[in-house]
Amino acid sequence: MSAVLRDPRVEIRRMREGDLEAVFANERAAYSHPWTMGILRDCLRVGYDCQVVLLDKRVVGHVVLSVSVGEAHLLNLCVAQDAQGQGLGRRLLRRMMRLAREKAADTVFLEVRTSNVAARQLYETEGFCEVGRRHGYYPHEEHEREDAIVYAKPLL
Ligand SMILES: CC(C)(COP(=O)(O)OP(=O)(O)OC[C@H]1O[C@@H](n2cnc3c(N)ncnc32)[C@H](O)[C@@H]1OP(=O)(O)O)[C@@H](O)C(=O)NCCC(=O)NCCS
């Protein structure tokens, strides 16, 4: 609601089945290794918290969170390339942090590619700290892998 009040062109709401085509298109354009349509659909089906951000009524970003027994995992955060750099990623992240708190999570975890400077900057300025590394976690070039940094933020 606060996002709507701050900028009437921006709305953040729950993701619906009808958003999936746009979400998938943004996903493919933004990531070197995007999620498939099947994975996105499954996230809705299993009841993960999936939200989208709309700019002038167009779906330009999405975020997916899973919460279980006090632990929240941010599984995806994506803003369409032509809508990046306008504060939407930070807004989506803050919305999810609020949701995680409401669901009584005490910590939020996420993984990010070591080379993903923009996302790392975002997470670090929102109070996430590096708590570990997963060696070769992500596919990279054809036969290469890239490490993941594991970030965590306590909510209590
Ligand atoms: C990471 C991502 C979600 C950020 O979304 P965004 O809407 O562009 O981010 P915002 O405009 O809210 O910026 C938030 C902060 O991110 C950081 N940031 C964003 N773009 C950046 C860039 N090109 N270089 C360095 N830092 C950057 C800055 O700290 C920025 O804060 P500031 O504007 O006060 O400097 C977006 O770049 C994206 O979707 N990337 C592709 C998918 C991805 O990598 N997702 C993360 C997976 S873990």
Side-chain angles (χ1 to χ4, degrees):
M1 187 62 179
S2 56
V4 176
L5 290 176
R6 271 200 302 270
D7 183 344
R9 299 179 313 142
V10 176
E11 181 193 357
I12 297 178
R13 63 154 170 79
R14 209 166 240 296
M15 190 190 295
R16 306 168 187 144
E17 186 87 19
D19 298 320
L20 284 176
E21 286 294 343
V23 167
F24 185 47
N26 293 335
E27 178 83 13
R28 271 185 309 176
Y31 283 111
S32 58
H33 295 78
W35 280 4
T36 63
M37 186 62 123
I39 293 174
L40 290 165
R41 192 168 279 121
D42 280 351
C43 287
L44 282 181
R45 194 177 49 79
V46 301
Y48 287 163
D49 290 298
C50 306
Q51 303 262 325
V52 288
V53 60
L54 290 86
L55 182 63
D56 293 326
K57 304 200 184 308
R58 179 170 76 96
V59 173
V60 293
H62 54 277
V63 62
V64 178
L65 183 87
S66 126
V67 185
S68 124
V69 285
E71 239 178 49
H73 290 263
L74 190 85
L75 303 176
N76 199 334
L77 172 67
C78 179
V79 173
Q81 275 174 327
D82 65 351
Q84 289 178 5
Q86 302 179 54
L88 300 177
R90 196 183 292 282
R91 282 190 186 189
L92 275 176
L93 180 60
R94 287 186 178 172
R95 172 63 60 96
M96 273 317 188
M97 301 304 285
R98 208 158 62 231
L99 220 84
R101 246 186 226 105
E102 285 167 14
K103 295 203 160 185
D106 52 36
T107 312
V108 179
F109 292 92
L110 62 89
E111 279 114 15
V112 61
R113 287 176 184 270
T114 49
S115 63
N116 195 342
V117 175
R120 288 176 58 183
Q121 282 277 346
L122 169 59
Y123 298 135
E124 286 171 19
T125 56
E126 287 296 316
F128 280 83
C129 292
E130 180 175 340
V131 294
R133 297 231 171 191
R134 296 192 204 284
H135 183 64
Y137 185 74
Y138 291 109
H140 187 46
E141 301 293 320
E142 203 173 344
H143 297 298
E144 290 178 34
R145 310 282 303 177
E146 181 175 0
D147 292 354
I149 300 178
V150 183
Y151 278 108
K153 178 175 175 173
L155 295 177
L156 300 176

Coordinates of all heavy atoms in Angstrom, one line a residue, residues 50-96:
C50 N 4.7 -15.3 -3.7 CA 5.2 -14.8 -5.0 C 4.5 -13.4 -5.2 O 3.3 -13.3 -5.2 CB 4.8 -15.7 -6.2 SG 5.3 -17.4 -6.0
Q51 N 5.3 -12.4 -5.4 CA 4.7 -11.1 -5.7 C 5.3 -10.5 -7.0 O 6.4 -10.9 -7.4 CB 5.2 -10.1 -4.5 CG 4.8 -10.6 -3.1 CD 3.6 -10.0 -2.6 OE1 3.3 -8.8 -2.9 NE2 2.8 -10.7 -1.9
V52 N 4.5 -9.6 -7.6 CA 5.0 -8.9 -8.8 C 4.9 -7.4 -8.5 O 4.1 -6.9 -7.7 CB 4.1 -9.2 -10.0 CG1 4.4 -10.6 -10.5 CG2 2.6 -9.0 -9.8
V53 N 5.8 -6.7 -9.2 CA 5.7 -5.2 -9.2 C 5.2 -4.8 -10.6 O 5.7 -5.3 -11.6 CB 7.0 -4.5 -8.8 CG1 8.1 -4.9 -9.6 CG2 6.8 -3.0 -8.7
L54 N 4.2 -3.9 -10.6 CA 3.8 -3.3 -11.9 C 4.2 -1.9 -12.0 O 4.1 -1.1 -11.0 CB 2.2 -3.4 -12.0 CG 1.7 -4.9 -12.1 CD1 1.5 -5.5 -10.8 CD2 0.4 -4.8 -12.9
L55 N 4.6 -1.5 -13.1 CA 4.9 -0.1 -13.4 C 4.0 0.4 -14.6 O 4.1 -0.3 -15.6 CB 6.4 0.1 -13.8 CG 6.9 1.5 -14.0 CD1 6.8 2.4 -12.8 CD2 8.3 1.5 -14.5
D56 N 3.2 1.3 -14.3 CA 2.1 1.7 -15.3 C 1.4 0.5 -15.8 O 1.2 0.3 -17.0 CB 2.8 2.4 -16.5 CG 3.4 3.8 -16.1 OD1 2.8 4.4 -15.2 OD2 4.4 4.2 -16.6
K57 N 1.0 -0.4 -14.9 CA 0.2 -1.6 -15.1 C 0.9 -2.7 -15.8 O 0.3 -3.7 -16.2 CB -1.2 -1.2 -15.8 CG -2.0 -0.1 -15.1 CD -3.4 -0.1 -15.5 CE -4.2 1.0 -14.9 NZ -4.1 1.1 -13.4
R58 N 2.2 -2.6 -16.1 CA 2.9 -3.6 -16.7 C 3.7 -4.4 -15.7 O 4.4 -3.7 -14.8 CB 3.9 -3.0 -17.8 CG 4.7 -4.1 -18.5 CD 5.5 -3.5 -19.7 NE 6.6 -2.6 -19.3 CZ 7.9 -3.0 -19.3 NH1 8.2 -4.3 -19.6 NH2 8.8 -2.2 -19.0
V59 N 3.7 -5.7 -15.7 CA 4.5 -6.5 -14.8 C 6.0 -6.3 -15.1 O 6.4 -6.8 -16.2 CB 4.1 -8.0 -14.8 CG1 5.0 -8.8 -14.0 CG2 2.7 -8.1 -14.4
V60 N 6.7 -5.7 -14.2 CA 8.2 -5.5 -14.5 C 9.1 -6.1 -13.5 O 10.3 -6.0 -13.6 CB 8.5 -4.0 -14.6 CG1 7.8 -3.3 -15.8 CG2 8.2 -3.2 -13.3
G61 N 8.5 -6.9 -12.6 CA 9.5 -7.5 -11.6 C 8.7 -8.6 -10.8 O 7.5 -8.5 -10.7
H62 N 9.5 -9.5 -10.2 CA 8.9 -10.5 -9.4 C 9.9 -10.9 -8.3 O 11.1 -10.7 -8.4 CB 8.5 -11.7 -10.2 CG 9.5 -12.3 -11.1 ND1 9.9 -11.8 -12.3 CD2 10.4 -13.3 -10.9 CE1 10.8 -12.5 -12.8 NE2 11.2 -13.5 -12.0
V63 N 9.3 -11.5 -7.2 CA 10.1 -12.0 -6.1 C 9.4 -13.2 -5.6 O 8.1 -13.3 -5.6 CB 10.2 -10.8 -5.1 CG1 8.9 -10.4 -4.5 CG2 11.2 -11.2 -3.9
V64 N 10.2 -14.2 -5.1 CA 9.6 -15.4 -4.6 C 10.3 -15.8 -3.3 O 11.5 -15.7 -3.2 CB 9.9 -16.6 -5.6 CG1 9.3 -17.9 -5.1 CG2 9.2 -16.3 -7.0
L65 N 9.5 -16.1 -2.3 CA 10.0 -16.3 -0.9 C 9.3 -17.6 -0.4 O 8.1 -17.9 -0.6 CB 9.6 -15.2 0.0 CG 10.0 -15.3 1.4 CD1 11.4 -14.6 1.5 CD2 9.1 -14.5 2.4
S66 N 10.2 -18.4 0.2 CA 9.6 -19.6 0.9 C 9.9 -19.5 2.4 O 11.0 -19.1 2.8 CB 10.3 -20.9 0.3 OG 10.8 -21.7 1.2
V67 N 8.9 -19.8 3.2 CA 9.1 -19.7 4.6 C 8.7 -21.0 5.3 O 7.6 -21.5 5.0 CB 8.2 -18.5 5.2 CG1 8.5 -18.4 6.7 CG2 8.4 -17.2 4.5
S68 N 9.5 -21.5 6.1 CA 9.2 -22.7 6.8 C 10.0 -22.8 8.1 O 11.2 -22.4 8.2 CB 9.4 -23.9 5.9 OG 10.3 -24.8 6.5
V69 N 9.3 -23.2 9.2 CA 9.8 -23.3 10.5 C 10.8 -22.1 10.9 O 11.9 -22.4 11.3 CB 10.3 -24.7 10.9 CG1 9.2 -25.7 11.1 CG2 11.3 -25.2 9.8
G70 N 10.3 -20.9 10.8 CA 11.1 -19.8 11.2 C 12.2 -19.3 10.3 O 12.9 -18.3 10.6
E71 N 12.4 -20.0 9.2 CA 13.4 -19.7 8.2 C 12.8 -19.3 6.9 O 12.0 -20.0 6.4 CB 14.3 -20.9 8.0 CG 15.7 -20.6 8.3 CD 16.6 -21.9 8.1 OE1 16.5 -22.5 7.0 OE2 17.4 -22.2 9.0
A72 N 13.2 -18.1 6.4 CA 12.7 -17.7 5.1 C 13.9 -17.8 4.1 O 15.0 -17.5 4.4 CB 12.2 -16.3 5.2
H73 N 13.5 -18.2 2.9 CA 14.5 -18.2 1.8 C 14.0 -17.4 0.6 O 12.9 -17.7 0.1 CB 14.8 -19.7 1.3 CG 15.5 -20.5 2.4 ND1 16.8 -20.7 2.4 CD2 15.0 -21.1 3.5 CE1 17.2 -21.4 3.4 NE2 16.1 -21.6 4.1
L74 N 14.8 -16.4 0.3 CA 14.5 -15.6 -0.9 C 15.0 -16.4 -2.1 O 16.2 -16.5 -2.3 CB 15.2 -14.2 -0.8 CG 14.7 -13.2 -1.9 CD1 13.4 -12.6 -1.4 CD2 15.7 -12.2 -2.2
L75 N 14.1 -16.8 -2.9 CA 14.4 -17.8 -4.0 C 14.7 -17.0 -5.4 O 15.4 -17.5 -6.2 CB 13.4 -18.8 -4.2 CG 13.1 -19.7 -2.9 CD1 11.9 -20.6 -3.2 CD2 14.3 -20.4 -2.5
N76 N 14.1 -15.9 -5.5 CA 14.2 -15.1 -6.8 C 13.8 -13.7 -6.5 O 12.9 -13.4 -5.8 CB 13.2 -15.8 -7.8 CG 13.6 -15.4 -9.2 OD1 14.2 -14.4 -9.5 ND2 13.2 -16.2 -10.2
L77 N 14.6 -12.8 -7.2 CA 14.2 -11.4 -7.2 C 14.7 -10.9 -8.5 O 15.9 -11.0 -8.9 CB 15.0 -10.6 -6.1 CG 14.9 -9.1 -6.1 CD1 13.5 -8.6 -5.8 CD2 15.8 -8.5 -5.0
C78 N 13.8 -10.3 -9.3 CA 14.1 -10.0 -10.7 C 13.3 -8.7 -11.1 O 12.1 -8.6 -10.9 CB 13.7 -11.2 -11.6 SG 14.1 -10.9 -13.3
V79 N 14.0 -7.8 -11.7 CA 13.4 -6.6 -12.3 C 13.8 -6.6 -13.8 O 14.9 -6.8 -14.2 CB 13.9 -5.3 -11.6 CG1 13.3 -4.1 -12.3 CG2 13.4 -5.3 -10.1
A80 N 12.8 -6.3 -14.6 CA 13.0 -6.3 -16.1 C 14.1 -5.3 -16.4 O 14.2 -4.2 -15.8 CB 11.7 -5.8 -16.8
Q81 N 14.9 -5.6 -17.4 CA 16.1 -4.8 -17.7 C 15.7 -3.3 -17.9 O 16.4 -2.4 -17.4 CB 16.8 -5.3 -18.9 CG 17.7 -6.4 -18.5 CD 18.4 -7.1 -19.7 OE1 17.8 -7.2 -20.8 NE2 19.6 -7.5 -19.6
D82 N 14.6 -3.0 -18.6 CA 14.3 -1.6 -18.9 C 13.7 -0.9 -17.7 O 13.4 0.3 -17.8 CB 13.4 -1.5 -20.1 CG 12.1 -2.1 -20.0 OD1 11.8 -2.8 -19.0 OD2 11.2 -1.9 -20.9
A83 N 13.4 -1.6 -16.6 CA 12.8 -1.0 -15.4 C 13.8 -1.0 -14.2 O 13.5 -0.5 -13.1 CB 11.6 -1.7 -15.0
Q84 N 15.0 -1.4 -14.5 CA 16.0 -1.5 -13.4 C 16.5 -0.1 -13.1 O 16.4 0.9 -13.9 CB 17.2 -2.4 -13.8 CG 16.8 -3.8 -13.9 CD 18.0 -4.7 -14.3 OE1 19.1 -4.3 -14.5 NE2 17.7 -6.0 -14.5
G85 N 17.1 0.1 -11.9 CA 17.7 1.4 -11.5 C 16.7 2.4 -11.1 O 17.0 3.6 -11.0
Q86 N 15.4 2.0 -10.8 CA 14.4 2.9 -10.3 C 13.9 2.7 -8.9 O 12.9 3.1 -8.5 CB 13.2 2.9 -11.3 CG 13.6 3.2 -12.7 CD 12.3 3.1 -13.6 OE1 11.3 3.8 -13.3 NE2 12.4 2.3 -14.6
G87 N 14.6 1.8 -8.2 CA 14.2 1.5 -6.8 C 13.2 0.4 -6.7 O 12.8 0.1 -5.6
L88 N 12.9 -0.3 -7.8 CA 11.8 -1.3 -7.7 C 12.3 -2.6 -7.0 O 11.6 -3.3 -6.3 CB 11.3 -1.6 -9.1 CG 10.6 -0.4 -9.8 CD1 10.2 -0.8 -11.2 CD2 9.4 0.1 -9.0
G89 N 13.6 -3.0 -7.3 CA 14.2 -4.1 -6.7 C 14.2 -4.0 -5.2 O 13.8 -4.9 -4.4
R90 N 14.6 -2.8 -4.7 CA 14.7 -2.6 -3.3 C 13.2 -2.6 -2.7 O 13.0 -3.2 -1.6 CB 15.3 -1.2 -3.0 CG 15.7 -1.0 -1.5 CD 16.3 0.3 -1.3 NE 17.6 0.6 -1.9 CZ 18.8 0.2 -1.5 NH1 18.8 -0.6 -0.5 NH2 19.8 0.6 -2.1
R91 N 12.3 -2.1 -3.4 CA 10.9 -2.1 -2.9 C 10.4 -3.6 -2.7 O 9.7 -3.9 -1.8 CB 10.0 -1.4 -3.8 CG 10.1 0.1 -3.6 CD 8.9 0.7 -4.4 NE 9.0 2.1 -4.4 CZ 8.1 2.9 -4.9 NH1 7.0 2.4 -5.4 NH2 8.2 4.2 -4.9
L92 N 10.7 -4.4 -3.8 CA 10.2 -5.8 -3.8 C 10.9 -6.5 -2.6 O 10.3 -7.3 -1.9 CB 10.6 -6.5 -5.1 CG 9.6 -6.3 -6.3 CD1 10.2 -7.0 -7.5 CD2 8.3 -6.9 -5.9
L93 N 12.2 -6.2 -2.4 CA 12.9 -6.9 -1.3 C 12.3 -6.5 0.0 O 12.1 -7.4 0.9 CB 14.4 -6.5 -1.4 CG 15.3 -7.1 -0.4 CD1 15.3 -8.7 -0.4 CD2 16.7 -6.6 -0.5
R94 N 12.1 -5.2 0.2 CA 11.5 -4.8 1.5 C 10.1 -5.4 1.7 O 9.7 -5.7 2.8 CB 11.4 -3.3 1.5 CG 12.8 -2.7 1.7 CD 12.8 -1.2 1.9 NE 14.1 -0.7 2.1 CZ 14.4 0.6 2.1 NH1 13.5 1.5 1.9 NH2 15.7 1.0 2.3
R95 N 9.3 -5.5 0.6 CA 8.0 -6.1 0.8 C 8.1 -7.5 1.3 O 7.4 -8.0 2.2 CB 7.3 -6.1 -0.6 CG 6.0 -6.8 -0.6 CD 4.9 -6.3 0.3 NE 4.6 -4.9 0.0 CZ 3.6 -4.5 -0.8 NH1 2.7 -5.4 -1.2 NH2 3.3 -3.2 -1.0
M96 N 9.1 -8.3 0.7 CA 9.3 -9.6 1.1 C 9.8 -9.8 2.6 O 9.4 -10.7 3.3 CB 10.2 -10.4 0.2 CG 9.5 -10.9 -1.0 SD 8.0 -11.8 -0.5 CE 7.5 -12.5 -2.0

